[in-house]
Amino acid sequence: MIRFGIIGTNWISRDFVEAIKRNPKCEVGAIYSRKEETALEFQKDCGVGGKVFTDLEEMGKSSDIDAVYIASPNSLHGEQTTIFLLNKKHIICEKPITTDLEIFDRNIKIAEKNKVVYMEAMKTTFLPNMKVLKENLHRLGDIRNVVFNFSQYSSRYDLLKNGELTNVFDTKFHGGSSFDLGIYPLYVTLDLFGEPLSFTARNYLVESGVDGTGTMILTYSDKIVTIIHSKITQTFVPNEILGEKGSILIDDVSKMRSIKLILRDGTSEELTVEQDSNQMVYELDEFLNLIENGELESKVNTFKNSRKSVEILSRVRFKI
Amino acid sequence: MIRFGIIGTNWISRDFVEAIKRNPKCEVGAIYSRKEETALEFQKDCGVGGKVFTDLEEMGKSSDIDAVYIASPNSLHGEQTTIFLLNKKHIICEKPITTDLEIFDRNIKIAEKNKVVYMEAMKTTFLPNMKVLKENLHRLGDIRNVVFNFSQYSSRYDLLKNGELTNVFDTKFHGGSSFDLGIYPLYVTLDLFGEPLSFTARNYLVESGVDGTGTMILTYSDKIVTIIHSKITQTFVPNEILGEKGSILIDDVSKMRSIKLILRDGTSEELTVEQDSNQMVYELDEFLNLIENGELESKVNTFKNSRKSVEILSRVRFKI
């Protein structure tokens, strides 16, 4: 039985706790919040027990947990991970796994030395429809251009315009569209096509100083991948992978709820398979299997892909 | 009565001659082709008369024409224009108006000196649905990102793969996706939003050496415009202009046959108006009006926009 410590008490942690509750191999062992009251409320809402911590170092030393799920503000991911890796806890950390390459490399070394799993909680790559996508890519012939657009209007942008600065728009917490949304299509791109030869990007910065929207171009020897992302507009068009023989359309590049093949002659085929409504169950499965099998690194969310994603995003997010 | 000389005998010239035939203010005065036989066949097919020329200098000196429509391969546009401007003929030249800024600037000077019209035959900016688009842009609130994708598979790419090099894939004639297709969304962008602060691009070059597909990013102080274009894949998604309040979807950024507004709350409105099936009638109208009014430059397809478009395209088309 893997006992999880949970860092962060927002909606994403609630979803992850729901996934834990449904999996017989694990349970919640502890909750961290800066305020005890918030943690207790979270436990009550989620219907889970376990210890409550308001001090991370103390939580790290606790024998009540074997693994930690981290869903704090972006800028804290790397350092918080270090605390728990040093205490030999397995780590599944929300994307971005860090915002700093040096910290990431240090964390990998500690994880390897302490023989614990270290994995980015990028859920998309484990989705059944991602598998369907991979299995059907060859039907497009040579893939020449890819257009991913993850533009999702954030209600917190309304708050920002009313003078209230939240974490996702705060430079201090490494907020902004690249790290929050751009990372999904970027990670999918790295998983599908590997490391690009080069990359460039342009962004529009909102008044708080983070990128509200931006475009990245990833160059490969045989194709161009374009990634548009935005927290201040809402797209109504699907994502598209364009090959010489046809296209695959994806409704949402993070959730992959619908996958459709269209060939150049106009014939189309629905490829979508059913997915669990809680999309985190798949990444949780992967993480628990790694622990069970004594593997330290996911073969899907690899250190290499996480590292490349951090490298690209940390270099492009302010580039205007 | 404006008598047109026609340079080029492919499908695009046929469409333009059809537009001429329907307009009582003008007629075909002459046809140029390197081979007399081709010109005669063209006249027969189109049901028009006029002189036949196989020598451009001779055609330039002819008193049988007042204006010239140029639809030769891209690399010839600039120099052919010069010949006719020097002979005080009005010029409407297919896009790109030139592929060389120095030639363009020289041509403008000659046109101004000789008091003749010089206009790029970029039809899109004169379409009724372009007017509808402009009238409704304000409903989107602040526009923050724009994604134009003009990916249209060329049957000549099949020829190229079978070893046959046609003009549009020939570096010698300045073929490739940027000048052939990318110019439409680029020109629309310049018309809608003016000159960008900066631009960058990445391309995939096909074996003949021209760009088969590419992405341009245009940076503005308040938005990012992304242009994807391809002659070797076919898109199945609409173009989108994304504002803070909603989006406008455009089926095809060159033909603008459908314009739809979708607000963030999901409400949508069809904005499309009917357009003539021959989309060249509108640019022809503009051109004839300029001649009639003694104006030398279109207020829509301005020298400035044509110049910026040539500048950007000539700098980005090989950039990989």
Side-chain angles (χ1 to χ4, degrees), chain A residues 43-54:
Chain A
Q43 285 188 318
K44 195 179 161 196
D45 284 355
C46 297
V48 290
K51 284 209 172 180
V52 165
F53 289 93
T54 55

Side-chain angles (χ1 to χ4, degrees), chain A residues 27-192:
Chain A
E27 65 183 10
V28 173
I31 310 283
Y32 166 84
S33 181
R34 278 172 304 169
K35 288 184 197 165
E36 189 177 14
E37 195 188 332
T38 311
L40 290 169
E41 201 177 311
F42 180 87
Q43 285 188 318
K44 195 179 161 196
D45 284 355
C46 297
V48 290
K51 284 209 172 180
V52 165
F53 289 93
T54 55
D55 183 292
L56 283 177
E57 294 286 350
E58 201 185 311
M59 186 174 175
K61 290 185 182 69
S62 167
S63 59
D64 294 293
I65 54 171
D66 311 293
V68 180
Y69 168 75
I70 298 177
S72 51
N74 295 340
S75 61
L76 308 179
H77 290 179
E79 297 287 9
Q80 290 181 345
T81 294
T82 306
I83 294 172
F84 291 98
L85 288 176
L86 286 172
N87 286 289
K88 302 191 178 177
K89 310 300 184 196
H90 304 288
I91 294 290
I92 178 165
C93 180
E94 268 306 327
K95 50 86 199 168
I97 193 162
T98 67
T99 54
D100 182 312
L101 273 188
E102 280 184 44
I103 295 178
F104 185 50
D105 289 340
R106 182 185 73 193
N107 283 345
I108 292 172
K109 276 183 197 158
I110 303 171
E112 285 173 342
K113 187 183 163 210
N114 285 351
K115 297 194 168 37
V116 285
V117 178
Y118 182 25
M119 186 181 120
E120 186 159 10
M122 168 53 71
K123 64 174 186 176
T124 311
T125 44
F126 301 109
L127 295 175
N129 279 319
M130 181 74 178
K131 190 161 172 270
V132 164
L133 173 60
K134 285 182 179 176
E135 285 165 357
N136 284 277
L137 271 188
H138 71 97
R139 298 172 70 183
L140 302 182
D142 288 321
I143 293 164
R144 296 307 189 191
N145 55 329
V146 175
V147 186
F148 288 147
N149 184 352
F150 193 13
S151 293
Q152 187 173 280
Y153 191 91
S154 169
S155 58
R156 295 172 204 172
Y157 186 48
D158 290 328
L159 298 179
L160 183 71
K161 287 194 282 189
N162 287 323
E164 190 184 332
L165 182 61
T166 54
N167 296 347
V168 292
F169 282 105
D170 194 338
T171 54
K172 190 176 66 181
F173 290 117
H174 302 178
S177 184
S178 297
F179 270 134
D180 277 355
L181 301 186
I183 192 169
Y184 287 103
L186 174 60
Y187 212 100
V188 168
T189 300
L190 295 171
D191 190 33
L192 293 177

Side-chain angles (χ1 to χ4, degrees), chain A residues 259-298:
Chain A
I259 309 281
K260 190 178 177 179
L261 175 84
I262 308 186
L263 297 178
R264 275 206 287 111
D265 65 10
T267 58
S268 69
E269 189 180 330
E270 192 62 58
L271 301 176
T272 313
V273 294
E274 211 179 325
Q275 299 185 150
D276 199 296
S277 66
N278 185 332
Q279 298 201 325
M280 290 174 159
V281 299
Y282 307 107
E283 63 181 6
L284 177 59
D285 260 349
E286 168 84 356
F287 185 66
L288 293 173
N289 286 338
L290 292 174
I291 295 175
E292 198 164 73
N293 299 331
E295 293 171 60
L296 306 185
E297 180 187 359
S298 167

Side-chain angles (χ1 to χ4, degrees), chain A residues 157 161 215 226 235 240 244, chain B residues 157 161 215 226 235 240 244:
Chain A
Y157 186 48
K161 287 194 282 189
T215 298
T226 308
T235 185
E240 189 176 25
E244 293 194 358
Chain B
Y157 185 48
K161 286 193 285 188
T215 298
T226 307
T235 184
E240 188 175 26
E244 293 193 359

